[in-house]
Amino acid sequence: MPRIILHVDMDSFFTAVEVHENPELKGKPVVVGADPKDGRGRGVVSTASYEARKFGIKSAMPISQAYRLCPTAVFLPVNMPLYAAASEQVMQSLRQRCDRFQQVSIDEAFLDISGRAGDFEEAKQLAASIQKDVLDKEKLSCSIGIGPNKLIAKVASDFKKPAGLTVVKPEEAKAFLEKLPVIKIPYIGPKTELRLKQLGIRTAGELALSTKEFLVSEFGKQGVYLHEAANGIDEEEVEESHEVKSINRNMTFDEDTTDREFLHKAIEEMAWEISDALIANSLMCRTIGIRVRYSNFETFTRAKTINQFGNSREKIIETAQQLLEQFLNGRMIRQLGVRVSGLADANVSDAKGRQRKVEEFL
Ligand code: TTP
Ligand code: MG
């Protein structure tokens, strides 16, 4: 039976949530990310509102560059617990609209609606009603792609943004992909794009014309994926998964440092945010890790798994600070990150079967 898959992706998610919180921001260029510090700030843009994108500002761009492009934009720090809460609301309502649901990031999900829509026309109506629902209830806009598999649906949701609704029927899939630049195919990043360009391949159509054997000889195992993706083939099922795999925070310092006290403070700050995010998502963690980047960009990660699940910021701080010790060797540190993983639901029952939140225990 042919499948009908939806991919929902929220439009400029972090800034959209900020605008919803503070309607005065509506229509203004808004940038969520590191502090621009009048153009001297380090760190990057998390996301930019569509108004800010008109100035050329985009995700992952250095915040200093974003500031140069539009110094009058509203620059806001990342407020993860706020976005996590909004995400949870949206995901809960999406989950109701399909038989199989897979959240893939804070702002995107796959919905298998094969059992709910008889054909792609009905699927389009269902998608439009989902968009209206999210807009009415959460006051947030999203784009939806509909396709015969996850790959096509994902590419389609990105085809028209914001508030786009793109339907690609099975028989249209090949023609739909054909004209797109290879970078639009999921998992093809700038590196693969460049290597393909050197082989004279710029579009998915050109990629589809290359034989699997040739692509495997050039790219190894990835060649198989490239060949299938370019031909619109993707057998992967929409897999139920509720869990967020990890939560992390990173700080890029204004000046590289070796200062233990300063780095300990940075860990404390990040641990506060992480434990807030854990609590906001009713989660606890068991593994705590750090990521250290020295001034030459050499990067190391270390993690420790503890016996008990928890969301206590003291435990996160203590563990992260211990892990940092071996990296305090006089080398200048440029960036430091804290990451928690091994996550589990914090809603646990006590001996009498009552539901209690874990933060009450800690
Ligand atoms: P995206 O869905 O890639 O971007 P977006 O929702 O901001 O904009 P759109 O989908 O309309 O193009 O990412 C979702 C959120 O993830 C985004 O709002 C902020 C965060 N994010 C980062 O923090 N850094 C990044 O480099 C990217 C791409 C996203
Ligand atoms: Mg998005």
Side-chain angles (χ1 to χ4, degrees), residues 217-341:
S217 74
E218 288 290 333
F219 294 92
K221 228 171 114 189
Q222 194 199 357
V224 179
Y225 169 77
L226 292 176
H227 188 259
E228 290 186 350
N231 284 285
I233 299 166
D234 177 23
E235 307 290 346
E236 248 189 68
E237 295 288 345
V238 174
E239 275 173 44
E240 285 287 341
S241 67
H242 314 282
E243 84 279 31
V244 189
K245 295 216 163 51
S246 67
I247 296 176
N248 54 11
R249 291 292 177 275
N250 285 291
M251 286 173 90
T252 307
F253 305 118
D254 288 334
E255 281 172 31
D256 300 345
T257 181
T258 54
D259 184 343
R260 172 185 278 112
E261 205 183 318
F262 177 85
L263 291 163
H264 278 191
K265 282 240 156 57
I267 286 179
E268 276 175 40
E269 249 178 69
M270 291 186 276
W272 271 80
E273 285 190 23
I274 289 174
S275 74
D276 281 350
L278 285 171
I279 292 166
N281 286 288
S282 301
L283 289 170
M284 358 181 232
C285 69
R286 210 155 75 94
T287 302
I288 296 160
I290 61 163
R291 180 171 173 277
V292 177
R293 174 166 283 175
Y294 288 114
S295 53
N296 66 351
F297 281 79
E298 219 181 325
T299 306
F300 298 90
T301 57
R302 288 289 179 281
K304 188 175 174 208
T305 298
I306 45 186
N307 290 333
Q308 253 186 324
F309 283 102
N311 62 5
S312 128
R313 56 179 64 100
E314 284 70 31
K315 188 74 194 168
I316 300 174
I317 292 168
E318 180 200 325
T319 311
Q321 289 180 345
Q322 274 169 13
L323 290 169
L324 178 69
E325 216 43 48
Q326 61 190 295
F327 297 103
L328 297 174
N329 48 17
R331 289 180 68 185
M332 295 290 247
I333 293 178
R334 174 187 165 83
Q335 194 184 61
L336 181 62
V338 179
R339 176 178 192 269
V340 300
S341 56

Side-chain angles (χ1 to χ4, degrees), residues 9-15 45-48 50 53 59-60 106-107 158 161:
D9 189 300
M10 305 305 295
D11 297 325
S12 97
F13 186 54
F14 291 4
T15 56
V45 171
S46 290
T47 198
Y50 278 80
R53 289 181 202 193
S59 294
I106 191 161
D107 89 324
D158 189 51
K161 259 185 165 287

Side-chain angles (χ1 to χ4, degrees), residues 37-51:
K37 300 193 175 156
D38 298 326
R40 288 173 286 106
R42 308 227 288 185
V44 297
V45 171
S46 290
T47 198
S49 67
Y50 278 80
E51 290 82 359

Side-chain angles (χ1 to χ4, degrees), residues 6-8 91 94-95 98 100-105 108-112 150 236-242 245:
L6 259 59
H7 181 257
V8 181
M91 295 301 160
L94 294 180
R95 191 172 273 130
C98 60
R100 280 148 87 97
F101 178 79
Q102 182 179 9
Q103 182 178 348
V104 280
S105 78
E108 54 177 325
F110 288 106
L111 284 68
D112 189 330
K150 287 176 22 173
E236 248 189 68
E237 295 288 345
V238 174
E239 275 173 44
E240 285 287 341
S241 67
H242 314 282
K245 295 216 163 51

Side-chain angles (χ1 to χ4, degrees), residues 151 174 177 182 185-186 188 192 196 201 203-217 219-234:
L151 174 91
K174 223 169 158 194
L177 290 178
V182 290
I185 298 176
I188 296 193
T192 308
L196 285 168
I201 299 169
T203 64
E206 289 163 358
L207 186 58
L209 287 176
S210 315
T211 64
K212 190 190 276 187
E213 290 66 33
F214 172 71
L215 291 171
V216 169
S217 74
F219 294 92
K221 228 171 114 189
Q222 194 199 357
V224 179
Y225 169 77
L226 292 176
H227 188 259
E228 290 186 350
N231 284 285
I233 299 166
D234 177 23

